[in-house]
């Protein structure tokens, strides 16, 4: 529901922002509830001073009593502030903990984080890590080129001549319907033993490589067998690379024929459905195989294109879009007599995931009508490519035309736009079964440095929509060493389960020649890749010295994050890269846009900014100060940044050289001490290599204690910094128990618990029994209360998070509490830091009663007196709770306390769900500001499955030689016709399947989606404010005031008399969204830079190999006869399925 404009809350008798708001009246003195200036503040529940008689303000419809005046409510607010402050001073122990740190000053040193030195060191370490992978890549690429050059082509090679480990063999043997069942048992397939390796999160064999061949490629073809033959020699190079660098992960050679050979060997992750993995469609392969592209796809939608042919075209366009990466730009248009874009995009746009989604959805709406007009389509495409007023790739330029055929060659268009330089390549695709002469289509491609393809059936789509990459690779191959440059990819999900990775890629060229003195081969053999897990890069960054709110991040030339604490995709699809923009990982503002631009440009920089940050639980927004420092990572496309709050400039480093003291403090970690010293939770950090991790903190503590009985904190297998700080903080917090907590009676002040959490990883909760209801994260750096307390001055209230009503039984058992926490700021000389957070847990029910009394007219211990017909007095929150609503709301708009008993079980809910009318008035009067953002990493329930994907096994994709074979042409046409008939009858929804589903995702797996998040935070109003919610007879008076030194808003309002005033409800819950309007976003694209190298032209390129067409129409009689044979169960056996470049690859 849209939120109404700020019109409902008019001030009455006007916005009052002074201590003496009413006209004609001077300030009214009132006693200071805090008493004398000297001495500590004390809780005021039983020590309330008398109140002065305040002027009455009659509420609408009331004769005997009035709505409290502003002085009264300010007085109540002052008492609330003092009660909170007194409790925190007595029980929080902030001052005492400062003294404890100073008393133990000899046990730690204060170290400084120097941002510039830190980022330069980390950037250098990352550069060294990646450089080792680059050297391994170069060795592999050089070896591959030499092996292929020395290889002799064998025409008569057979499957049994080649021994290799087929990574999918085991899965195929388990498939009772798999047609490769017999082939899987052949002796050419090795049987290997595997051992579990935690580095790969998989079972591997370090003595062999594994081979993966796409489902729609025939393993026994001559081309594939020769490919397997010469790539076998790479095995020794893979092994030698690992010997030189044991940290290497997957080493992969992706061949242009579709063969993938990777090391070490591991079984393929078999999908539950059709395996559509093809290395040539992986982001890293596409990036390494060609330079960036500006592509315009034009689709013939004339009347002759209908039914299955139109469906084939739609699917072909979608598959073509999947061959593009974020370095590419694209637009899609349909044409008949006229050309028009299929979507809202009127110019080339970046081929990112969201833009491609818009195209794919728009393509499904294409309708066939009219007559074919090639001229309109090509003129539109050339105009798009000549538009220089937009951001684009500015490298390879190409037009991809899908049609069912035609006679017009539109030579005049090419002469006008493309000749003689031919800077735009033209690729033509003849789609469907027809009798048209394809010579014009072939001519268009051949005279414009492109290629002609045929897509007669479903099975040809995937192969033929990626073949164009071989053509684009020609200038790279001809450029030789100049084009041999390592590129690093975006983040993406590894197909073998390694998690999020980046890949270094290097193209591998064909160095053979046709003969002495002949031109060298211009085909790309494939792409070599080496994976680097993001976790390995993260290990090079500071872990805990930056504090809870400091972090390191890195971005690429697109502005996408490589490292960032908010890079946490809930679900991943390995078909697409993980592209989270830096401005989406954080809350965007102008300062961050400048930082992002500078980093993309490869500059160094430092800037302190005031910005908004989202809390860890994504319920709150805080305005904070952050220092950003950044440097480029040399020899890569990445830039590294460091973010530090000012209070994290310094940190503590324990120096526990006294082993007796180590033992003494360590004993306070033992469960036997918890009853007297409080329960201790330790952060689940990697203190030692042999420490067994556990999600259960009790078990983790047990594992930790057992290990510490075997090793010392100074052991080489342990992180001495983490261990010493942990033990020091154990002793520090125990002294807080001894000096403050142990002698206090928590029940007297309605406290369920007191606690302290530290940077060193200790969370101590007192008393021990309170730990049973402790639900905060044992890692302080991952606890929302801890991080927010560091960023906010004063006391931070955190009500329990709830999505449904609490049961009254839980309240009766005192199990519901409200956390109140504050940071401990420590000043040592001129160095200031915040090493800990302390707080209390309030008993919700008892404090709700206390809240009533503090916001009442009761003085000392007198009994409350209710205003009646015979008396004139002001209402208060205790006596008049049937008429007066009094609440405390936190800075996120969540209910903390209420004087209404029936609202106690709604504490923690967004206040609009409790009183929508009043929350809207607070928003309209600027007490709250709203911030909307999008979460692009969310996971949503799966949609009903469809049937889009590649053809099933055995679908035949012809080679050029097949096209020239008349006997094949007639039989293949019939076979294709029969296939399409069956698909139309049985798999009618095949074209709409989810590719991820076809890849084998479980039916219950959640899919990625966009969620809209809305948070509220305090606006600009700091003083008290009286206003009226003007709704006729349903009008309500209210007063709102911020409580000093807290994140609370004190609100007093008349209870609603009727429901006619409900104009709208503010929403805070996360909701499913399509994200921001893409059509508008592309008009103001974010700054980016493409790769600095481009290989799109070479004067020596041979363009004579540009595809072959067949104009001989098959006999209708032959088709009918063959189809009858097929129906009788005698289908012709599919031939080897290799793409149309097979003949050329013999060299």
């Amino acid at each position: 529901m849209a939120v109404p404009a700020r019109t409902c809350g008019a001030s009455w008798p006007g916005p009052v922002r002074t201590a003496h708001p009413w006209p004609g009246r001077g300030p009214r003195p009132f006693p200071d509830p805090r008493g004398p200036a000297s001495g500590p503040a004390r809780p005021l529940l039983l020590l309330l001073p008398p109140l002065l008689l305040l002027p009455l303000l009659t509420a609408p419809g009331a004769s005997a009593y009035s709505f409290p005046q502003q002085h009264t409510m300010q007085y109540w607010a002052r008492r609330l502030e003092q009660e909170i402050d007194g409790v925190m001073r007595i029980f929080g122990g902030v001052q005492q903990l400062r003294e404890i740190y100073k008393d133990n000053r000899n046990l730690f040193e204060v170290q400084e984080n120097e941002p510039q030195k830190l980022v330069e060191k980390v950037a250098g370490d990352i550069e060294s890590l990646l450089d080792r992978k680059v050297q391994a890549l170069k060795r592999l690429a050089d070896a591959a080129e030499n092996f292929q050059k020395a290889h002799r082509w064998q025409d008569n090679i057979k499957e049994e001549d080649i021994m290799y480990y087929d990574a999918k063999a085991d899965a195929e043997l388990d498939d009772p319907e798999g047609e490769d069942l017999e082939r899987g048992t052949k002796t050419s397939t090795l049987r290997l033993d595997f051992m579990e390796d935690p580095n790969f999160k998989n079972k591997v064999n370090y003595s062999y490589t594994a081979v993966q061949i796409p489902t729609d490629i025939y393993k026994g073809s001559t081309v594939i067998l020769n490919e397997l033959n010469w790539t076998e020699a790479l095995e020794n190079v893979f092994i030698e690379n690992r010997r030189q660098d044991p940290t290497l992960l997957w080493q992969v050679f992706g061949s242009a024929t579709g063969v993938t050979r990777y090391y070490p060997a591991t079984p393929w992750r078999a999908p539950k459905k059709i395996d559509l993995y093809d290395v040539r469609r992986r982001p890293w392969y596409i990036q390494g195989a060609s330079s960036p592209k500006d592509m315009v796809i034009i689709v013939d939608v004339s009347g002759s294109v209908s039914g299955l042919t139109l469906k084939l075209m739609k699917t072909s366009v979608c598959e073509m879009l999947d061959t593009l990466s974020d370095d590419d730009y694209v637009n899609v248009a349909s044409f008949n007599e006229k050309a028009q874009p299929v979507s809202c995009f009127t110019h080339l746009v970046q081929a990112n995931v969201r833009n491609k989604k818009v195209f794919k959805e728009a393509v499904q709406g294409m309708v066939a009508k009219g007559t074919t007009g090639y001229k309109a389509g090509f003129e539109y495409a050339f105009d798009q490519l000549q538009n220089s007023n937009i951001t684009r790739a500015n490298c390879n330029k190409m037009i991809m035309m899908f049609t069912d055929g035609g006679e017009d060659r539109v030579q005049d268009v090419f002469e006008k736009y493309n000749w003689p330089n031919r800077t735009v390549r033209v690729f033509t695709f003849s789609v469907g079964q027809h009798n048209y002469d394809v010579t014009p289509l072939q001519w268009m491609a051949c005279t414009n440095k492109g290629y002609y393809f045929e897509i007669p059936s479903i099975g040809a789509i995937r192969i033929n929509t990626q073949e164009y990459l071989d053509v684009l690779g020609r200038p790279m191959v001809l450029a030789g060493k100049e084009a041999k440059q390592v590129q690093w990819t975006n983040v993406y999900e590894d197909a073998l389960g390694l998690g999020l990775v980046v890949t270094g890629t290097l193209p591998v060229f064909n160095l053979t020649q046709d003969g002495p003195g002949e031109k060298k081969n211009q085909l790309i053999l494939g792409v070599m890749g080496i994976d680097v897990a993001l976790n390995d890069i993260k290990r090079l960054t500071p872990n805990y010295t930056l504090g809870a709110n400091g972090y390191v991040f890195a971005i690429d030339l697109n502005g996408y994050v490589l490292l960032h604490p908010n890079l946490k995709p809930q679900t991943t699809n390995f078909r697409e890269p993980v592209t989270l923009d830096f401005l989406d990982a954080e809350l965007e503002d102008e300062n961050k846009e400048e930082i992002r631009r500078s980093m993309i440009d490869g500059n160094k920089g430092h800037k302190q900014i005031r910005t908004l940050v989202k809390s860890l639980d994504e319920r709150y927004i805080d305005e904070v100060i952050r220092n950003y420092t950044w440097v480029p990572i040399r020899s890569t496309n990445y830039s590294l940044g460091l973010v530090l709050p000012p209070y994290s400039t310094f940190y503590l480093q324990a120096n526990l050289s006294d082993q007796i003291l180590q033992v003494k403090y360590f004993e306070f970690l033992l469960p036997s001490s918890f009853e007297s010293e409080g329960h201790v939770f330790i952060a689940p950090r990697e203190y030692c290599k042999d420490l067994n991790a556990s999600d259960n903190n009790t078990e983790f503590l047990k594992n930790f204690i057992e290990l510490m009985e075997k090793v010392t904190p100074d052991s080489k297998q342990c992180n001495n910094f983490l261990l010493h700080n942990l033990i020091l903080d154990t002793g520090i917090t125990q002294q807080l128990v001894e000096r403050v907590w142990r002698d206090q009676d928590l029940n007297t002040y309605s406290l369920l618990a007191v606690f302290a959490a530290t940077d060193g990883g200790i969370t101590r909760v007192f008393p021990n029994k309170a730990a049973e209801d402790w639900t905060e994260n044992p890692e302080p750096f991952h606890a929302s209360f801890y991080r927010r307390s560091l960023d906010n001055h004063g006391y931070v209230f955190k009500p329990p998070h709830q999505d449904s009503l609490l049961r009254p039984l839980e309240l009766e058992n005192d199990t519901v509490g409200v956390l109140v926490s504050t940071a401990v700021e420590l000043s040592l000389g001129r160095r200031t830091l915040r090493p800990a957070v302390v707080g209390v847990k309030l008993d919700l029910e008892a404090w709700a009663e206390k809240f009533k009394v503090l916001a009442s007219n009761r003085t000392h211990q007198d009994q409350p007196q209710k205003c009646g017909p015979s008396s004139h007095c002001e209402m208060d929150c205790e006596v008049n709770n049937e008429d007066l609503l009094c609440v405390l709301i936190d800075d996120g708009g969540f209910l903390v306390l209420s004087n209404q008993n029936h609202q106690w079980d709604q504490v923690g809910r967004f206040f609009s769900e409790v009183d929508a009318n009043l929350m809207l008035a607070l928003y309209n009067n600027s007490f709250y500001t709203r911030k909307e953002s999008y979460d692009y990493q969310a996971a949503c329930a799966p949609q009903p499955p469809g049937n889009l994907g590649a053809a099933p096994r055995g679908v035949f994709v012809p080679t050029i030689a097949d096209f020239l074979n008349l006997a094949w042409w007639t039989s293949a046409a019939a076979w294709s016709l029969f296939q399409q008939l069956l698909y139309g009858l049985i798999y009618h929804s095949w074209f709409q399947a989810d590719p991820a589903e076809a890849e084998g995702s479980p039916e219950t797996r959640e899919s990625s989606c966009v969620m809209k998040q809305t948070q509220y935070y305090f606006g600009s109003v700091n003083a008290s404010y009286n206003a009226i919610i003007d709704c006729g007879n349903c009008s309500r008076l209210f007063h709102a005031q911020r409580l000093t030194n807290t994140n609370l808003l004190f609100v007093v309002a008349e209870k609603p008399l009727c429901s006619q005033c409900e104009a709208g409800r503010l929403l805070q819950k996360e909701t499913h969204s399509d994200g921001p309007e893409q059509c508008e976003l592309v008009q103001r694209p974010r700054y980016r830079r493409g790769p600095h190298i481009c290989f799109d032209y070479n004067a020596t390129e041979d363009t004579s190999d540009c595809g072959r067409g067949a104009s001989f129409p098959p006999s209708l009689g032959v088709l009918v006869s063959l189809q009858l044979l097929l129906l009788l169960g005698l289908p012709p056996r599919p031939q080897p399925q290799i793409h149309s470049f097979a003949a050329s690859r013999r060299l």
Side-chain angles (χ1 to χ4, degrees), residues 19-32:
H20 50 285
W22 310 121
R25 299 183 185 273
R28 304 283 295 184
F30 52 89
D32 188 343

Side-chain angles (χ1 to χ4, degrees), residues 807-820:
R807 295 172 298 184
L809 177 63
E810 293 180 311
L811 287 171
E812 292 174 1
N813 289 340
D814 294 336
T815 58
V816 178
V818 175
L819 290 189
V820 188

Side-chain angles (χ1 to χ4, degrees), residues 542-674:
N543 279 333
Y544 299 101
T545 59
L546 304 181
N549 290 317
Y551 57 90
V552 171
F553 71 98
I555 65 173
D556 63 16
L557 295 180
N558 281 301
Y560 299 145
V561 294
L562 164 72
L563 296 176
H564 199 284
N566 292 336
L567 178 62
K568 297 178 289 188
Q570 300 301 308
T571 181
T572 50
N573 174 5
F574 73 77
R575 288 168 58 93
E576 296 284 359
V578 178
T579 53
L580 179 65
D581 195 283
F582 169 65
L583 298 179
D584 295 322
E586 305 192 0
L587 292 176
E588 181 177 358
D589 59 37
E590 292 182 358
N591 288 316
K592 290 177 183 175
E593 288 181 8
E594 294 178 9
I595 293 170
R596 178 181 178 275
R597 176 184 285 266
S598 179
M599 294 180 71
I600 290 174
D601 287 339
N603 300 323
K604 293 183 178 181
H606 174 84
K607 190 171 187 176
Q608 183 177 89
I609 66 174
R610 182 174 292 275
T611 186
L612 298 178
V613 297
K614 199 179 300 183
S615 67
L616 195 64
D617 56 12
E618 299 182 332
R619 303 180 82 199
Y620 300 92
I621 296 288
D622 291 312
E623 186 176 10
V624 300
I625 295 176
R626 293 288 189 263
N627 293 307
Y628 281 75
T629 309
W630 60 93
V631 296
I633 303 176
R634 291 175 296 181
S635 304
T636 73
N637 296 329
Y638 304 132
S639 184
L640 186 76
L642 170 67
V643 181
L644 269 184
Y647 53 79
S648 291
T649 302
F650 300 98
Y651 64 94
L652 300 184
Q653 180 172 354
N655 182 21
L656 293 178
S657 56
D658 187 342
Q659 294 187 356
I660 296 177
L661 192 61
Q662 287 181 15
V663 174
K664 176 184 176 181
Y665 284 175
F666 178 76
E667 289 179 350
F668 295 126
L669 284 175
L670 302 178
S672 58
S673 70
F674 289 175

Side-chain angles (χ1 to χ4, degrees), residues 155-219:
D155 286 316
N156 300 320
I157 193 170
K158 298 179 181 179
E159 285 187 75
E160 49 267 30
D161 297 334
I162 306 297
M163 295 294 295
Y164 67 98
Y165 172 67
D166 183 351
K168 298 199 297 184
D170 295 335
E172 288 169 351
L173 283 172
D174 295 336
D175 181 6
E177 299 181 358
E179 68 175 39
D180 293 327
L181 183 62
E182 294 182 4
R183 283 204 298 270
T185 61
K186 289 192 174 182
T187 55
S188 59
T189 299
L190 297 172
R191 295 292 176 186
L192 304 180
D193 295 323
F194 301 96
M195 60 181 295
E196 194 72 35
D197 190 316
N199 294 321
F200 288 89
K201 302 178 183 179
N202 222 326
K203 293 183 178 181
V204 299
N205 184 306
Y206 282 114
S207 300
Y208 294 90
T209 58
V211 171
Q212 191 273 350
I213 301 174
T215 302
D216 49 359
I217 296 293
Y218 175 44
K219 302 174 185 178

Side-chain angles (χ1 to χ4, degrees), residues 30 83 194 244 392 398 456 527 851 861 902-903 942 975 1056:
F30 52 89
E83 184 73 10
F194 301 96
Q244 295 187 32
R392 56 182 187 175
M398 66 201 69
V527 177
F851 169 58
Q861 300 184 18
H902 69 276
Q903 291 181 352
W975 175 237

